[in-house]
Amino acid sequence: MNKVILPNSTIGIIGGGQLGRMMAIPAKQMGYKVAVLEPECGGPLSQVADYEINAPYDCEEALLRLLNLSDVVTYEFENIDGNQISRVETKGYLPQGERPLLVTQQRDREKKAINDCGFQTAPYERVDNIHDLKQAIEKIGYPCILKTISGGYDGKGQWTLKSELDLENVQSVVATTPCILEGFVLFTKEISVIVTRGTNQQIEVFPVAENIHQNHILHLSIVPAQIDAKLRAKAEEIARSLIEKLDFVGTLAIEMFVVGKDLIVNELAPRPHNSGHYTIDACNVSQFEQHIRAICGLPLIKPDLIKPAVMVNLLGQHLDYALEMWKKPEFSTAKLHLYGKVEAKKNRKMGHITFANQCEVELSEQVHQFLNNFPK
Ligand code: AMP
């Protein structure tokens, strides 16, 4: 039977970064209390949480304390030890379970799961040593991308191989770290879909976002994605079908490549995602509120895009420029979100800003004006 967790109860979140913070804000608005497990004290989520436990994510005692303190527990990122979660989850209520972690933590497992659901990924081979790499290249051909099996994000742990000359650079990587080799996909666009499935089995899909990266880090999300209606419907159907077949609960982000009329699934994240931040200001429900509703067994809200939107990510090197621009009267409708991180390091995600406008021409002009001298 569907368990409903009502306001006044405590939601525990493993991970204290910006995603946890943005989950906590609507949760607190609805009247929930929030507890966080995070090694570092005073981070983005701790600043808005009611209870803070500072310990490593895989510390059994700390996990048990969090489960004990909370009526329901969720996670804000996937690199938590899934086996540790499975050891403790019966001691509390963690409706998502460890399976989304186990599936998405390892790139080969994730790709197999996507293929088993009937959806296309880039061709890939597991690579555990230089011999495997040479065999994989024979099958897949150049250009290709070598990725570490786990732990990579924002382009970290990835090497593009264009010819035999590039093998030298990755020899030490494959000798020490399990990897996969992927075929290089000549895509025309990158898109993503955020989908949520409640403990009540209800599934709701957010509007498809088109994503533009700079230096492998998300730079812009443009919504609605500039793709034709058939492709949009296909992307939404893949999202709906994947979350159902994988039997996941909570929010799932699915990154896809557009290749002609086809969609190739690149990556899954079993949590709210950077490319869904636009939902806070441009939709009738945000990916974060929907996630909270999903794990609390509440009915999900059918997402609706109120206005076309563009989300601009603000990294450490963008912050001063963005604040200078944002304070000007012409950008007064732009919504600023800063995550409360103290040090603005290069490439660290410090916040984002969302532009929304019923008129797509005006929207595009405003974003261009804002980005005119945006630092690299
Ligand atoms: P990932 O960490 O897998 O999300 O990859 C980060 C970025 O690298 C993606 O957003 C793409 O821009 C690019 N990329 C990843 N895999 C491939 C691929 N197989 N072919 C072409 N580009 C890729």
Side-chain angles (χ1 to χ4, degrees), residues 285-330:
V285 59
S286 76
Q287 61 169 347
F288 301 101
E289 179 181 347
Q290 193 85 302
H291 181 74
I292 297 294
R293 297 182 73 91
I295 57 162
C296 288
L298 295 167
L300 301 185
I301 297 171
K302 192 173 168 37
D304 196 16
L305 185 69
I306 298 164
K307 287 180 187 173
V310 175
M311 188 245 22
V312 180
N313 245 356
L314 302 180
L315 308 179
Q317 63 271 33
H318 305 143
L319 204 55
D320 291 343
Y321 171 87
L323 289 177
E324 272 305 307
M325 298 296 275
W326 172 75
K327 71 183 186 192
K328 294 183 180 180
E330 57 267 40

Side-chain angles (χ1 to χ4, degrees), residues 107 145 147 158 182-183 185 187 190 213 257 266-267:
R107 290 188 188 272
I145 304 190
K147 299 183 180 178
Q158 283 192 25
E182 264 183 49
V185 179
F187 55 82
E190 291 190 77
H213 294 80
F257 298 134
N266 175 36
E267 206 174 22

